């Protein structure tokens, strides 16, 4: 699949750039040229930069026991 049609940049290329250290859209633009023409692919390219959720991590939440009155 192409992420950037204007510059013929594939999903594979974007994934490789991220695996090799690209952390921002500016990194992808400098390394690949993605989102440097019309810019329509910027949000798609950025989506590859997002950290996948780690199912091993739990989110801490505050719980009020039923016997304690909430303020």
């Amino acid at each position: 699949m192409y992420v950037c049609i204007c510059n013929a940049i594939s999903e594979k290329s974007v994934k490789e750039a991220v695996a090799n250290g690209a952390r921002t859209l500016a990194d992808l633009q400098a390394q690949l040229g993605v989102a440097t023409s019309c810019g329509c692919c910027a949000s798609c390219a950025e989506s590859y930069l997002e950290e996948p959720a780690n199912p091993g991590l739990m989110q801490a939440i505050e719980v009020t026991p039923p016997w304690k009155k909430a303020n």
Side-chain angles (χ1 to χ4, degrees), residues 26-40:
D27 291 341
L28 293 175
Q29 289 173 316
Q31 292 177 30
L32 304 174
V34 70
T36 57
S37 292
C38 76
C40 289

Side-chain angles (χ1 to χ4, degrees), residues 3-4 6-7 10 17 19 22 25 35-37 41 47-48 51 56 59 61-62 67:
V3 171
C4 178
C6 295
N7 295 317
S10 68
L25 179 59
T36 57
S37 292
C41 61
S47 72
Y48 290 92
E51 295 285 328
Q59 181 180 1
I61 59 170
E62 187 175 329
W67 62 86

Side-chain angles (χ1 to χ4, degrees), residues 1-12 14 41 44 48:
M1 174 180 100
Y2 282 102
V3 171
C4 178
I5 294 171
C6 295
N7 295 317
I9 299 167
S10 68
E11 177 182 43
K12 180 181 176 188
V14 174
C41 61
C44 179
Y48 290 92

